[in-house]
Every structure is written in structure tokens, then in C-alpha cells.
């Protein structure tokens, strides 16, 4: 069948959408992606030249009392008209929205055209776009079962959050040696995500003296602006580290690490679980509806993570949360096993199979 996946705007929407697209293509379906006009989308899609895509001029929903609402409506209308035009050519038989306002116009256009529509919600609490779009779909596919109560009037299916097919576990020693790290040292992965890396960078820098003399090395993704600052501080602290602004082969970093300090976006959590990496989670405090805190709570209750608030990380709270992972191998092992239990590595296949089941049943 011809499938449209609307998945742009952030990595948290785009990468799960790409994972679903790969499975659809493997099963013989044709796929067209709708993405945003942001650079992050164009950059990621360079790695997938085989998947056709169209850009939509979507923006987030502002306050209804803001003058920006006029710009939102204009761009939404433009996106909607573009979708209708593309659908006349591509003739989709299913439309899947991965969340965010890039997905709303394609789902609405599909619904009005009589096409079976679906949305995927990765987070433990749904975003505004998915709350609005849910009334248009046959089913809402969920990353977390805890999200189901937010959709009382529509069918829900728990599929997990899809991760990219290239994220396959490598040999740990080999991965560490590739990064210039000691193959036998406990290894921490620090990543701040596309937003809010600076707060984590500053907290880790402040913590470095406390790790003097510990058997620890660090992989630190700093973001572009603070890469030199972060690298200089590891050198001053005489702590072995691999520091980079970004890293395109995340499977190397995940395979090399024993545990992580990270934000709690749904896509990042799905990837950490797939590699059995427990974490100290620092939810991004400005995330919509505080959804990162809800996501982190799911992992904390499963014994796969320890949560610390951003407001607490500049005292010694971060150090106190990290030290048990270094000093107690049994603690690290138990947390790692709990993280592995949360993995939904086959989530992309589950999404595709659910869509196929719903669309076949309707025929």
C-alpha cells in the first residue's frame, strides 16, 4: 500500500518515523514522508536518500490570544492544501502522524479524503497536536501504556517507540577502542538532547572534581556551542573522555557505555532501553506539559533510572546519583537489567503490523 508518514520537526518525531518507514519498505509498501522545513530534518534525511519526502511549512500552536495565531493558521492552511495536492498524485492508502503540528494537516487531509489515519504518541502524556488529531484516527499507537487514559474516546494500541534500524549493539571493547577509550573502564555517556544541553554540561563540569581517583571515563555529547569548554574541563580534571558536539553513529556510543546522564525525551529513552543502559535522568523543565518528567517517572518506577530535577543538579545531587553506578557493580547490573526489560526493539514492526491489521479489517 502507499503510506504517508508525517514525522518532522524534532528528532523525537523524525527518527521513530524513519524507523517505521524502513519496516514499511521492507514489507513491500511505498512510503512518502512529510517533514518540517527545519535543518534537523534535512540533515537526518541525507542519510536516507532512498526515502522520498516533502516539506511542510508547519509551526507549533501558539496561544489562541497571541497575534502569532494568524501566522499559524496561514501556514496550517498552506500545509493542508499542499497535502491535498500531493495526495492526488501519490494516492495514500494510510496516513500515520508521529506527533507535532507537522502531522496534523496530513492526518486531516487523509481523513477528509477517506484514507485510514493513525497517530503515534511516544510520550507518557500526549502533546497538543495529538490531543487535537486523535478524534480523526482509527487508533492511537502508544509508546507508553501510561498514556492510554488520555485517549478515552479512541482505540489505543501499545507498540512502544520505534528506534532506527542502524542502532544495533556492537562489541563493547571494540566500540570503546574506536573512541580512544580504555576497554575495561566503567563508561558514562552524557547527552543533553537537541534542547537544553547547556544545563547538563554545566552540572557535569561542576561535578568533575568529585570523580578524581574513580575508575570512570566519559563519553560527552556537548552540543556545538560548548564543545571546547567541555573538552577543556575534562583535560583539567585529568579524566579520560571522548567529547564531541554530535555523533552520527550513536550505536558506537550506546555500545561503549555502561550508563548515561540524559534528558528524558521518549526517543532517547527507547534507545537507552534498547542498549540496556540505565540512566540518571534530568527532565528538560520547559518541555510541554512537563512530559519529560512523566517519561522519566515511568523509567524510575521500573528501577531503570534515577531522576534528578534540573533545579537540583548544580549542587552535589548529580554526583550523589552517579557514584553508585561507579562504586557498586551489583547496582549497575540490576539497573541495566531493568532498563533492558523496558526495551521495545520491535516497536517499528509492531506499528506497521497494527496499521496493516486495522486497514485489512476495514476492507
Amino acid at each position: 500500500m502507499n503510506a504517508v508518514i508525517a514525522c518532522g520537526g524534532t528528532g523525537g518525531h523524525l527518527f521513530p518515523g524513519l524507523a517505521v518507514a524502513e519496516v514499511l519498505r521492507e514489507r513491500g509498501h511505498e512510503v512518502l514522508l512529510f517533514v518540517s522545513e527545519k535543518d534537523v530534518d534535512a540533515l537526518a534525511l541525507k542519510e536516507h536518500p532512498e526515502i522520498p519526502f516533502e516539506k511542510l511549512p508547519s509551526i507549533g500552536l501558539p496561544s489562541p490570544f497571541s497575534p502569532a495565531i494568524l501566522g499559524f493558521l496561514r501556514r496550517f492552511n498552506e500545509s493542508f492544501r499542499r497535502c491535498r495536492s500531493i495526495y492526488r498524485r501519490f494516492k495514500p492508502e494510510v496516513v500515520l502522524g508521529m506527533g507535532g503540528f507537522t502531522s496534523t494537516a496530513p492526518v486531516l487531509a487523509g481523513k477528509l479524503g477517506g484514507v485510514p489515519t493513525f497517530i503515534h504518541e511516544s510520550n507518557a502524556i500526549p502533546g497538543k497536536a495529538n490531543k487535537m488529531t486523535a478524534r480523526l484516527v482509527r487508533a492511537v499507537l502508544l509508546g507508553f501504556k501510561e498514556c492510554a487514559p488520555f485517549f478515552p474516546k479512541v482505540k489505543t494500541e501499545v507498540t512502544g517507540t520505534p528506534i532506527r534500524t542502524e542502532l544495533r549493539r556492537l562489541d563493547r571493547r571494540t566500540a570503546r577502542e574506536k573512541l580512544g577509550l580504555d576497554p575495561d573502564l566503567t563508561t558514562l555517556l552524557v547527552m543533553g538532547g537537541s534542547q537544553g544541553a547547556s544545563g547538563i554540561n554545566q552540572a557535569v563540569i561542576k561535578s568533575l572534581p568529585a570523580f578524581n581517583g574513580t575508575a570512570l571515563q566519559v563519553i560527552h555529547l556537548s552540543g556545538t556551542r560548548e564543545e571546547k569548554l567541555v573538552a577543556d574541563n575534562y583535560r583539567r580534571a585529568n579524566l579520560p573522555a571522548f567529547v564531541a558536539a554530535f555523533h552520527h553513529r550513536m550505536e558506537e556510543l550506546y555500545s561503549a557505555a555502561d550508563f548515561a546522564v540524559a534528558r528524558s525525551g521518549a526517543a532517547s529513552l527507547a534507545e537507552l532501553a534498547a542498549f540496556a543502559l540505565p540512566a540518571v535522568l534530568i527532565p528538560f523543565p520547559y518541555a510541554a506539559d512537563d512530559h519529560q518528567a512523566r517519561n522519566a517517572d515511568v523509567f524510575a518506577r521500573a528501577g531503570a533510572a534515577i531522576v534528578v530535577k534540573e533545579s537540583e543538579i548544580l549542587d552535589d545531587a548529580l554526583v550523589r546519583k552517579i557514584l553508585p553506578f561507579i562504586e557498586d557493580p551489583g547496582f549497575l547490573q540490576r539497573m541495566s537489567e531493568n532498563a533492558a526489560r523496558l526495551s521495545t526493539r520491535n516497536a517499528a514492526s509492531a506499528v506497521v503490523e497494527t496499521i496493516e491489521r486495522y486497514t485489512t479489517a476495514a476492507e
Side-chain angles (χ1 to χ4, degrees), residues 176 181-188 215-219 239-241:
R176 288 178 180 172
L181 297 173
D182 187 320
D184 298 311
L185 268 185
T186 300
T187 305
L188 164 64
L216 179 72
Q217 61 190 353
V218 183
I219 300 165
L239 193 69

Side-chain angles (χ1 to χ4, degrees), residues 119-132:
I119 54 174
H120 184 278
E121 177 53 66
S122 293
N123 293 297
I125 181 171
K128 285 188 287 188
N130 273 350
K131 283 180 188 172
M132 289 174 58

